[in-house]
Amino acid sequence: MTPRDFVRKWKAATLKERSAAQEHFLDLCELVGHGKPAAVDPTGESFCFEKGAEKRGGTDGFADVWKRGFFALEYKGKHKDLEAAWKQLDEYRADLENPPLLVTCDTARIEIHTSFQNAKHVVYPIALDEITQPEKLELLRAVFFEPEKFRPGRINPVVTADAAKALGELAQRLRGRGLEPLPVARFLDRILFALFAEDIGLLPNEVASKLFEASRGKPELFETLVGDLFRKMAEGGFFGVDRIPHINGSLFDDASTIALSEEELGLLASAARLDWSAIDPSIFGTLFERGLDPAKRAQLGAHYTSREDIETLVEPVVMAPLRREWAEVRTMVERLLATGKKVDGPLPEKPLTGQALKKAEAEAEIFVLRYLDRLEKVKVLDPACGSGNFLYVTLRKLKDLESEVYDFMLGRGLQSPLRVGVGPWQLYGIEINQYAHELAQMTVWIGYLQWLRQHGTTTWKEPILQAMSNIENKDAILDLTDPERPKEPTWPKVDFIVGNPPFLGSQLMRRELGGEYVGKLRALYDERLPGQADLCCYWFERARSAIQGRAAARAGLLATQGIRGGGNRQVLDRIEDSGGIYWAQSDREWILDGANVHVSMVGFDDGTETQKELDGQSVAQIHADLTSGANATRALRLADSPCHSFQGPVKVGAFDLLGTDAIPWLLEPNPHGRPNSDVLRPWLTGRSITARDEGVWIVDFGEMSLDSAALYSRPFHHVQQQVYPERSKNNRARRRELWWIHGEVNNALRAAMSPLARYIGLCQTAKHRLFVWVPTAILPAQTVIAFTSDEDCVLGYLHSRVHGVWASAQGTQLREKESGFRYTPTTCFETFPFPLPANNAAEAISAAAKELDELRKAWLNPPEWTKEEVLEFPGSVDGPWRRFVHEPDARGIGTVRWPRVVARDAEAAKKLVQRTLTKLYNERPAWLDLAHKKLDEAVFAAYGWPSDLTDEQILERLLALNLERAAAEGGEK
């Protein structure tokens, strides 16, 4: 039974309690993959329905379901009192052999109550609809298979998600009242810390939980009591009979409160029942922020970035060198204690004793204490720290290593004096968002206190929290304190730089950050980064610069997949030139705002590191494109390509419209006697190639003057209404002033297409590289790469496996490998060494390419489902339709006869929807595979290469050919 089947069935069920209970439980067994009671235990001795039990006090009863050592379960009718059901089970608990879990259910919801001895009672509610969520299903599985997972502290991610959801819901309600996000966030931060402090023993006697419970239904009492508690936490003192420690820090400097409704107080009281000691600070900030940001509400409860994900970067960048240092110290100390000498030598006949042993121990202690000094002086910077996730995880890893050192000393009988130890004061951060900056400090301190408690600390030095001036609230890449003289902000001198810079593509930067800011940013970094670099590249360049200037030793940062290709890769080229990449994950899943994306992780230094690892494998070298084989980034541009490649014009505005609207305009007259077909033509989008023709047309005035364009009445009116309002506000003067013209006209493309009847089109970003023939009357969009050749052999070269291997190495990967690549003409095409075919090689390639194209067209538009339709309208011999103009008059205006393939009827149209190139290449039928193999063999023959080369061998040969030809041409990178 699938989770959806389960939810569907029990949503519709209206059975009474007794009728529903056993069937519901049997379905639960199927859902989690557990045997049913009669099958698992035919005797009913350890797993059964209606287990007889004696209540405390002597009366008899029974539990609806019982499994020895796992759980007891009590059913109630829909929407009945589950708390009463839990109390009933609690009465039976001793006679049921104290199961660790007591479960109640009314078929619409399940509540799992922990019942571990000497541990806080925690409740995990699961609504029926939530069973489709993986984390909730995992909870149900743990009930049947691993109840120990519920022991407090064991399931931090689940506790964290529930905790974040609880406060997130409260945050949404407060924001829904119109309250500003920052006061709401700060108030809930104090609530959060109070709950955490209570559950780790900082606050006595469950004082916060009791306050929230006592305030239910009494909003005025809550405001008074919680404000008083906050003031006591700021200064220390008594709250009633309970002594509150001096918490301090900036968190409780402001004791202001927010009035809560009775319903909101109920939410808070319920949240207090969770085990807040088990929250995971590395992910709590992210989830909690979603509760405050209306734009992210739908993501609440979605997957989040786990501590393990962050450790993937922190371990090789920060911990690996520190562990190597510790391994050297430990080896020397063990040698000293065994031989009395620091250098290798034979073991003495007898173990060291007396003065010799004392001398060895004293010297060994010095070496270990020096290493502890080293750990306590390590400084780590996250220059885009957000809510502190990376800093917290790094601190925990450093504390774990420190603990390992102390355990070693204890095991070897060495003395360890009391030390301050590793702590939050070693962490540095830069964050531009004020709330995230404050939250980062709390994240780090919660993590630190949590670690201390988990490692035995029960008494706390006051004040508990210290202000963290080393986490700065500022812009990390652009200092505009003097707007007329932008400069680079100062970064602190540290040992390690780690973090997750913001993911924002170059095309979105102006919209999100403002044209003025982006202009100043790009001008400041102009000599180091190209103008089209994504935002994260600026953090990479600053980190590289810090390492080069000896303000840091190592760095490890996340980036979008785009950093491996195009202009973005220049920052990794600079890293290679001034140092080296020693560790990388070229393709890793990551969570961004609740969405699953793919990123690259890169660790780099000044070239000192000799051990290199790429995607989990030891390698000799890591190149700027995050590969380790043939270094395709060394490839140079060549001049001997058989044609040119261009990106389609950038329209910048709603110049496009549906063909059903545009085609009638073709017949309308204009005051100067010219046809509208001069400025109206079909528009080829990337989707038109990968899917079906979208039937979109575009108004294209080329570089006409305003007066000339206005004479095409209907098309001009469309542009005036749809384009002008936005373009008149554009940041770029040319686009603002020439609003009726596309943002980038691309005259070079138009000139190259002019003598041709057709060109080759490619969707720039797609799962498959699909090259197709396109009539020159059709204008390519920005998302299409146009190759200005009408020769079949060129289509064959481009669609061959040889070119595919090269393009994969030189392009930019999208998300994950299965999603395809971004084809960049400058790197994928202009560097590609085309073969110099002899004899009949070109003819063979042309024939194979033509056959491939014809087979695909027949599959896409089978004659049984299609027919040819000729569209007729006025056209000019000097316009885009010149090759279709018949019988022109003295003015050069005649009739365009444009043949189009259309569906035969409505039924055929439905079938044709499924005929797309993407679907074809996903399925890759035998005939398509054979056609490509025939083409590949012809291309391999043109190079004079065997057709069984591996991708790496192809890449090596192409790179050698590229460099050889570039040397002859005097090419450039």
Side-chain angles (χ1 to χ4, degrees):
M1 175 172 280
T2 68
R4 285 190 177 85
D5 291 338
F6 184 94
V7 171
R8 192 180 298 113
K9 174 177 176 178
W10 288 100
K11 261 193 169 182
T14 57
L15 297 170
K16 299 292 185 182
E17 175 186 337
R18 185 164 295 277
S19 304
Q22 293 195 5
E23 185 172 353
H24 184 273
F25 184 79
L26 293 175
D27 284 352
L28 273 181
C29 291
E30 279 194 38
L31 179 67
V32 301
H34 190 280
K36 297 172 182 176
V40 172
D41 179 18
T43 66
E45 293 179 0
S46 62
F47 186 25
C48 63
F49 290 108
E50 299 190 0
K51 170 66 176 176
E54 182 178 320
K55 288 185 179 180
R56 289 193 294 268
T59 58
D60 292 331
F62 60 87
D64 287 333
V65 192
W66 172 74
K67 184 181 179 186
R68 177 180 287 137
F70 285 76
F71 63 85
L73 191 156
E74 185 67 21
Y75 277 94
K76 290 293 180 186
K78 262 190 181 177
H79 309 303
K80 296 294 184 181
D81 186 359
L82 290 186
E83 188 167 355
W86 169 71
K87 288 178 179 177
Q88 182 179 331
L89 280 178
D90 192 50
E91 291 285 316
Y92 299 144
R93 184 176 56 185
D95 201 44
L96 294 173
E97 304 176 35
N98 292 306
L101 302 175
L102 302 178
V103 184
T104 60
C105 179
D106 68 353
T107 71
R109 58 200 166 117
I110 298 170
E111 290 186 351
I112 304 163
H113 296 250
T114 61
S115 188
F116 296 96
Q117 292 186 347
N118 302 317
K120 182 176 179 177
H121 168 220
V122 182
V123 183
Y124 299 94
I126 304 174
L128 179 58
D129 284 335
E130 293 177 328
I131 285 175
T132 58
Q133 298 176 13
E135 60 269 26
K136 297 296 186 180
L137 188 58
E138 191 59 34
L139 283 180
L140 287 176
R141 288 197 180 101
V143 170
F144 283 80
F145 297 101
E146 296 180 87
E148 277 295 309
K149 278 192 171 182
F150 289 88
R151 191 176 290 278
R154 289 294 184 88
I155 50 173
N156 289 5
V158 174
V159 175
T160 301
D162 286 343
K165 190 171 184 179
L167 281 196
E169 186 176 347
L170 183 54
Q172 288 183 27
R173 289 175 180 270
L174 296 178
R175 291 284 287 117
R177 287 205 245 143
L179 299 176
E180 289 300 312
L182 199 56
V184 169
R186 287 173 172 164
F187 170 69
L188 293 179
D189 282 349
R190 293 191 284 275
I191 294 290
L192 183 160
F193 191 86
L195 292 168
F196 170 76
E198 172 183 283
D199 284 349
I200 67 167
L202 266 175
L203 293 182
N205 198 25
E206 297 188 338
V207 62
S209 294
K210 289 178 179 176
L211 185 161
F212 300 148
E213 189 62 43
S215 301
R216 275 194 172 191
K218 303 171 185 174
E220 301 83 2
L221 179 63
F222 168 78
E223 271 198 272
T224 301
L225 291 180
V226 82
D228 190 27
L229 177 62
F230 288 167
R231 284 187 287 273
K232 292 297 186 292
M233 293 175 77
E235 305 164 359
F238 280 88
F239 183 77
V241 297
D242 297 313
R243 182 190 174 278
I244 306 301
H246 182 193
I247 302 295
N248 202 14
S250 58
L251 187 58
F252 292 97
D253 288 348
D254 173 11
S256 62
T257 64
I258 293 176
L260 300 184
S261 67
E262 291 186 20
E263 190 174 2
E264 290 162 351
L265 285 169
L267 286 173
L268 195 53
S270 298
R273 296 172 66 183
L274 295 166
D275 181 8
W276 290 80
S277 69
I279 64 171
D280 188 338
S282 70
I283 55 180
F284 191 85
T286 301
L287 289 173
F288 188 40
E289 284 181 286
R290 288 179 189 153
L292 296 168
D293 185 350
K296 298 179 181 178
R297 286 179 185 175
Q299 299 159 5
L300 196 63
H303 294 298
Y304 41 74
T305 303
S306 69
R307 183 195 304 172
E308 289 74 20
D309 285 330
I310 298 171
E311 285 175 343
T312 301
L313 182 75
V314 170
E315 186 64 41
V317 175
V318 178
M319 302 310 300
L322 294 176
R323 292 189 200 284
R324 283 203 299 264
E325 291 176 36
W326 170 233
E328 292 170 4
V329 171
R330 190 175 59 222
T331 299
M332 184 185 296
V333 166
E334 288 175 335
R335 188 187 302 135
L336 261 173
L337 296 177
T339 67
K341 298 178 181 179
K342 291 180 285 185
V343 295
D344 280 327
L347 290 172
E349 295 181 4
K350 295 181 180 179
L352 295 181
T353 58
Q355 287 300 319
L357 178 59
K358 285 184 179 179
K359 181 181 177 183
E361 288 177 339
E363 197 169 357
E365 285 170 7
I366 291 172
F367 284 113
V368 178
L369 293 177
R370 282 179 184 168
Y371 182 73
L372 285 173
D373 281 336
R374 159 76 167 132
L375 281 185
E376 291 168 11
K377 292 175 182 175
V378 165
K379 293 179 180 179
V380 181
L381 167 68
D382 183 346
C385 67
S387 53
N389 297 357
F390 275 79
L391 292 176
Y392 156 71
V393 170
T394 304
L395 176 62
R396 188 174 185 93
K397 301 289 284 185
L398 290 171
K399 291 297 293 181
D400 287 344
L401 180 55
E402 179 189 46
S403 179
E404 182 184 321
V405 175
Y406 279 116
D407 288 344
F408 175 83
M409 295 182 77
L410 182 65
R412 302 304 186 277
L414 304 179
Q415 298 299 310
S416 56
L418 211 57
R419 306 174 68 92
V420 173
V422 171
W425 42 88
Q426 295 170 238
L427 306 178
Y428 293 76
I430 301 174
E431 173 53 46
I432 194 170
N433 179 275
Q434 185 180 357
Y435 171 59
H437 162 256
E438 295 177 6
L439 187 59
Q441 299 176 60
M442 188 175 71
T443 296
V444 168
W445 275 107
I446 284 181
Y448 178 63
L449 297 173
Q450 192 179 59
W451 190 96
L452 293 178
R453 177 178 178 267
Q454 291 167 350
H455 289 77
T457 298
T458 54
T459 57
W460 312 90
K461 182 181 176 181
E462 297 182 26
I464 307 297
L465 304 181
Q466 299 172 28
M468 292 185 68
S469 59
N470 44 340
I471 296 183
E472 301 177 81
N473 182 202
K474 68 180 187 181
D475 190 321
I477 56 174
L478 184 62
D479 183 348
L480 290 175
T481 49
D482 181 353
E484 300 306 315
R485 296 177 181 81
K487 61 182 180 180
E488 294 180 39
T490 303
W491 284 15
K493 186 174 182 178
V494 296
D495 300 283
F496 306 101
I497 297 172
V498 294
N500 181 7
F503 295 170
L504 191 62
S506 61
Q507 299 296 322
L508 298 176
M509 284 172 60
R510 287 186 181 275
R511 188 184 75 186
E512 297 294 327
L513 305 177
E516 184 179 359
Y517 177 92
V518 172
K520 290 178 178 179
L521 178 69
R522 288 180 172 159
L524 183 62
Y525 291 84
D526 181 52
E527 295 182 1
R528 290 176 286 167
L529 291 174
Q532 70 271 27
D534 291 349
L535 187 60
C536 67
C537 293
Y538 292 86
W539 273 262
F540 274 78
E541 172 56 25
R542 284 304 314 273
R544 184 209 64 79
S545 178
I547 292 171
Q548 188 178 41
R550 301 189 182 282
R554 291 160 72 94
L557 298 172
L558 269 76
T560 56
Q561 291 280 356
I563 200 166
R564 297 194 282 158
N568 288 330
R569 195 164 64 202
Q570 289 186 32
V571 74
L572 297 187
D573 288 333
R574 288 177 62 79
I575 286 170
E576 273 201 302
D577 291 342
S578 64
I581 300 170
Y582 58 82
W583 176 87
Q585 288 212 354
S586 62
D587 177 14
R588 181 178 175 85
E589 287 189 0
W590 198 257
I591 303 301
L592 177 64
D593 291 342
N596 194 356
V597 299
H598 282 248
V599 301
S600 295
M601 297 179 169
V602 187
F604 51 98
D605 67 351
D606 61 359
T608 302
E609 181 63 80
T610 58
Q611 299 179 27
K612 301 181 188 295
E613 181 185 297
L614 174 64
D615 296 332
Q617 301 295 320
S618 179
V619 295
Q621 188 71 29
I622 302 176
H623 307 308
D625 61 351
L626 304 188
T627 63
S628 61
N631 188 3
T633 65
R634 294 168 53 212
L636 304 174
R637 292 184 184 178
L638 302 175
D640 65 349
S641 299
C643 65
H644 296 286
S645 64
F646 301 91
Q647 189 176 36
V650 182
K651 61 187 180 72
V652 189
F655 290 89
D656 50 310
L657 67 161
L658 290 176
T660 50
D661 294 324
I663 290 173
W665 298 357
L666 295 170
L667 302 176
E668 294 187 10
N670 289 311
H672 62 335
R674 299 283 298 186
N676 280 332
S677 61
D678 285 354
V679 297
L680 282 174
R681 56 202 297 195
W683 193 47
L684 181 75
T685 65
R687 185 170 173 77
S688 301
I689 295 173
T690 61
R692 301 288 299 183
D693 181 9
E694 297 182 297
V696 178
W697 284 50
I698 192 161
V699 178
D700 174 28
F701 290 119
E703 288 194 312
M704 288 183 188
S705 67
L706 179 63
D707 291 344
S708 297
L711 292 170
Y712 296 92
S713 300
R714 184 60 71 90
F716 185 81
H717 178 73
H718 170 81
V719 172
Q720 194 173 36
Q721 295 295 312
Q722 302 299 323
V723 177
Y724 175 73
E726 288 301 317
R727 284 283 288 272
S728 63
K729 296 180 285 187
N730 197 282
N731 291 323
R732 301 189 191 183
R734 182 184 181 281
R735 292 182 177 179
R736 196 169 54 248
E737 294 164 4
L738 303 178
W739 53 267
W740 64 96
I741 292 174
H742 294 175
E744 301 294 337
V745 177
N746 201 339
N747 282 327
L749 166 64
R750 295 167 189 268
M753 287 172 54
S754 179
L756 304 175
R758 63 180 184 175
Y759 63 93
I760 300 168
L762 167 73
C763 178
Q764 186 174 25
T765 56
K767 182 176 181 179
H768 306 288
R769 276 179 294 277
L770 303 170
F771 298 87
V772 299
W773 287 116
V774 185
T776 50
I778 299 176
L779 187 69
Q782 180 185 359
T783 55
V784 172
I785 305 300
F787 302 86
T788 53
S789 173
D790 58 1
E791 296 182 21
D792 288 307
C793 64
V794 175
L795 180 74
Y797 297 145
L798 295 174
H799 235 318
S800 69
R801 178 178 162 226
V802 175
H803 182 66
V805 169
W806 185 258
S808 294
Q810 294 285 50
T812 305
Q813 187 175 309
L814 304 174
R815 299 179 297 277
E816 70 290 329
K817 288 182 179 179
E818 290 73 20
S819 292
F821 291 79
R822 176 178 288 105
Y823 189 100
T824 310
T826 52
T827 57
C828 298
F829 178 77
E830 294 178 17
T831 60
F832 181 62
F834 285 86
L836 302 175
N839 301 325
N840 297 320
E843 290 79 358
I845 294 170
S846 295
K850 191 171 184 180
E851 180 182 359
L852 171 65
D853 181 58
E854 289 172 350
L855 288 170
R856 291 190 316 192
K857 284 179 178 176
W859 183 87
L860 286 170
N861 296 301
E864 294 83 358
W865 300 348
T866 58
K867 62 183 179 181
E868 186 179 273
E869 173 185 272
V870 178
L871 194 64
E872 294 190 358
F873 51 87
S876 56
V877 294
D878 56 352
W881 297 94
R882 52 189 167 276
R883 283 183 174 74
F884 298 93
V885 174
H886 294 264
E887 302 169 1
D889 60 18
R891 299 171 302 161
I893 298 173
T895 300
V896 172
R897 295 191 178 96
W898 183 41
R900 301 190 302 169
V901 174
V902 297
R904 281 190 176 275
D905 50 40
E907 187 63 30
K910 291 179 183 177
K911 295 177 182 177
L912 288 172
V913 169
Q914 300 302 316
R915 294 286 175 116
T916 70
L917 280 179
T918 296
K919 184 178 179 65
L920 175 61
Y921 276 80
N922 281 342
E923 296 173 354
R924 203 172 181 93
W927 63 263
L928 179 65
D929 199 50
L930 289 170
H932 271 284
K933 285 179 179 176
K934 184 185 292 186
L935 174 61
D936 289 338
E937 287 171 2
V939 173
F940 276 116
Y943 281 101
W945 298 344
S947 59
D948 59 352
L949 294 178
T950 65
D951 287 357
E952 185 61 31
Q953 289 170 331
I954 292 172
L955 196 58
E956 288 173 357
R957 293 186 181 216
L958 288 173
L959 180 60
L961 196 54
N962 168 276
L963 297 176
E964 177 188 327
R965 291 188 188 171
E969 295 176 1
E972 62 178 27
K973 194 168 182 178

